């Protein structure tokens, strides 16, 4: 959660789905709006952040 907020500026705990979807659009992340939910939005944001992490790391408190 903290990593996502630091990297893209979205607090996934308090943000509304609409705000997170706007961030997906801003980041040009493709998604199907018909098969969607809060968990899927968070997963896509996390995958975007994960691609930018370099080197061996230990990730804790991964969003469920």
């Amino acid at each position: 959660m903290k990593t996502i907020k630091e990297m893209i500026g979205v607090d996934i705990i308090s943000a509304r789905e609409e705000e997170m979807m706007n961030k997906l659009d801003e980041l040009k992340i493709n998604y199907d709006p018909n098969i969607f939910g809060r968990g899927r939005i968070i997963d896509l944001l996390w995958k975007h952040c994960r691609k930018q992490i370099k080197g061996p790391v230990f990730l804790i408190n991964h969003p469920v």
Side-chain angles (χ1 to χ4, degrees), residues 24-35:
L24 290 174
D25 292 336
E26 181 183 318
L27 295 170
K28 297 183 181 2
I29 297 172
N30 294 326
Y31 62 92
D32 182 356
N34 297 319
I35 307 172

Side-chain angles (χ1 to χ4, degrees), residues 4-30:
I4 294 173
K5 186 175 181 179
E6 289 174 358
M7 294 181 86
I8 61 173
V10 174
D11 183 354
I12 60 172
I13 299 299
S14 63
R16 295 185 334 261
E17 288 183 25
E18 180 181 348
E19 294 173 68
M20 292 189 287
M21 289 176 78
N22 288 338
K23 183 54 86 168
L24 290 174
D25 292 336
E26 181 183 318
L27 295 170
K28 297 183 181 2
I29 297 172
N30 294 326

Side-chain angles (χ1 to χ4, degrees), residues 24-61:
L24 290 174
D25 292 336
E26 181 183 318
L27 295 170
K28 297 183 181 2
I29 297 172
N30 294 326
Y31 62 92
D32 182 356
N34 297 319
I35 307 172
F36 236 57
R38 185 173 186 82
R40 183 71 179 131
I41 297 169
I42 293 170
D43 183 54
L44 289 172
L45 291 171
W46 166 244
K47 286 177 180 175
H48 174 79
C49 293
R50 187 178 66 195
K51 290 177 187 176
Q52 299 174 41
I53 298 172
K54 297 189 182 355
V57 296
F58 291 98
L59 299 174
I60 59 169
N61 299 324

